[in-house]
């Protein structure tokens, strides 16, 4: 198996912060946050497998979230003994598990709706609160099987951003998103089959900022209801009127809370 290196955006100097993007996105989603933080921090934003400028997953084996953490090893290896992890959606799920792998190196966690769906399935067999995204993955996968990447992207984007969002997406942005959504089954497998028990997150002895969009789909809220009771040092921020993609659609609101939290911890 090859040893791929992630593409990394980098800015600033000081204590290290690593920002991990969501599915169907790239490190570019963190540009605004990087601009805000670069005067005080060393900010790094990698592209995950098959996103932006990072190569596709180089194996026939189905991917795990631990493989996503392995991809980030070169980033973690060169930023000193301690750092903060910022993650959104899939990236927030990766951040949570990375914090378990490096408990003595993580100074704080900033999470916007981690999509660690396995913790919901473990607590309650389907039907349950993550059936919405489960069904979307099935629909998107069926569209991919017929060669209709546009329909697959429509299923995925409209679920997370609201009906009509794909239609409203600028034409120049659609090709990169449709190319990324081709991996929807891979993402779902990683998120639904992650074996880490929810109780493991109770061992995280670091400040955690957990952000929730009140208009987000139930699938994101269901994960929060399982995770929040076990996180011992968590601050919860709920954004009225915002949804799951608020770090992209309303970065000024979300980034202000991140900057405030980092200044306090």
């Amino acid at each position: 198996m090859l040893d791929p290196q992630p593409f990394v955006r980098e800015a600033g100097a000081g204590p290290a912060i690593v920002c991990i993007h969501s599915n169907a996105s790239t490190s570019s989603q963190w540009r605004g946050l990087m601009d805000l933080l670069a005067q005080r921090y060393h900010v790094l934003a990698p592209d995950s497998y098959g996103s932006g400028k990072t190569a596709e997953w180089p194996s026939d084996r189905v991917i795990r979230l631990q493989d996503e953490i392995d991809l980030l090893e070169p980033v973690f290896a060169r930023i000193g003994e301690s750092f903060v992890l910022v993650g959104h959606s899939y990236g927030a799920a990766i951040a949570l598990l990375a914090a378990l792998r490096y408990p003595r190196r993580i100074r704080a966690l900033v999470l916007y709706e981690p999509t660690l769906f396995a913790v919901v399935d473990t607590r309650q067999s389907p039907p349950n609160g993550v059936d919405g995204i489960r069904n979307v993955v099935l629909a998107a996968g069926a569209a991919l099987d017929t060669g209709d990447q546009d329909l697959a992207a429509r299923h995925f984007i409209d679920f997370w951003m609201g009906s009509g969002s794909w239609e409203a997406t600028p034409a120049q942005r659609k090709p990169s998103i449709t190319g990324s959504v081709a991996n929807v089954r891979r993402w779902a497998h990683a998120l639904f089959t992650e074996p880490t028990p929810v109780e493991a997150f109770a061992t995280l002895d670091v400040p955690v900022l957990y952000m929730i969009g009140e208009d987000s789909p139930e699938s994101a809220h269901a994960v929060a209801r399982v995770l929040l009771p076990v996180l011992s040092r968590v601050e919860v921020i709920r954004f009225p009127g915002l949804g799951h993609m608020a770090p992209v659609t309303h970065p000024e609101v979300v980034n202000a809370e991140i900057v405030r939290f980092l200044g306090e911890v």
Side-chain angles (χ1 to χ4, degrees):
M1 181 172 168
L2 301 175
D3 184 21
Q5 298 289 311
F7 170 80
V8 183
R9 296 179 188 274
E10 196 165 355
I17 299 174
V18 179
C19 303
I20 312 173
H21 64 82
S22 66
N23 291 135
S25 185
T26 71
S27 58
S28 64
Q29 80 166 74
W30 299 116
R31 282 174 175 166
L33 181 63
M34 294 178 77
D35 289 344
L36 292 173
L37 297 178
Q39 292 184 355
R40 296 182 57 189
Y41 305 98
H42 180 196
V43 192
L44 304 97
D47 284 334
S48 61
Y49 277 118
S51 300
K53 298 180 181 180
T54 295
E56 266 292 354
W57 168 236
S59 174
D60 292 333
R61 178 174 58 75
V62 178
I63 200 168
R64 306 164 303 176
L65 292 177
Q66 297 297 332
D67 297 313
E68 301 279 12
I69 300 173
D70 290 343
L71 176 68
L72 300 179
E73 288 277 6
V75 180
F76 299 153
R78 64 184 183 89
I79 56 174
E81 284 304 308
S82 65
F83 52 92
V84 172
L85 285 174
V86 177
H88 171 212
S89 191
Y90 187 77
I94 296 169
L96 269 171
L97 291 166
L100 291 181
R101 186 185 291 191
Y102 305 104
R104 296 182 181 179
R105 297 188 66 191
I106 304 301
R107 292 201 314 275
L109 282 172
V110 176
L111 310 172
Y112 195 101
E113 294 187 347
T115 49
L116 196 57
F117 305 126
V119 299
V120 178
D121 276 353
T122 300
R123 284 289 176 89
Q124 179 185 340
S125 298
N128 59 31
V130 294
D131 287 341
I133 185 59
R134 197 190 327 269
N135 293 335
V136 163
V137 170
L138 290 173
L144 291 171
D145 288 342
T146 67
D148 195 338
Q149 286 188 310
D150 186 85
L151 180 58
R154 183 184 302 274
H155 283 303
F156 188 78
I157 298 301
D158 281 7
F159 176 78
W160 287 118
M161 299 186 69
S163 179
S165 294
W166 179 244
E167 189 68 29
T169 300
Q172 66 270 23
R173 291 188 55 205
K174 286 187 172 182
S176 64
I177 296 174
T178 54
S180 181
V181 170
N183 295 317
V184 64
R185 286 175 170 139
R186 185 177 81 194
W187 303 332
H189 181 272
L191 294 168
F192 275 102
T193 65
E194 171 55 44
T196 303
V198 67
E199 292 77 16
F201 299 108
T203 66
L204 293 175
D205 187 23
V206 296
V208 178
L209 175 64
Y210 197 120
M211 294 176 284
I212 301 169
E214 290 191 351
D215 288 355
S216 296
E218 167 62 12
S219 295
H221 291 169
V223 174
R225 287 196 298 271
V226 176
L227 284 175
L228 288 176
V230 303
L231 295 172
S232 61
R233 298 174 61 187
V234 64
E235 175 189 352
V236 182
I237 297 291
R238 301 180 187 273
F239 295 107
L242 299 189
H244 183 69
M245 295 304 294
V248 175
T249 61
H250 296 78
E252 66 286 350
V253 178
V254 176
N255 291 347
E257 288 295 341
I258 296 175
V259 171
R260 188 268 313 163
F261 174 78
L262 293 174
E264 293 175 359
V265 303

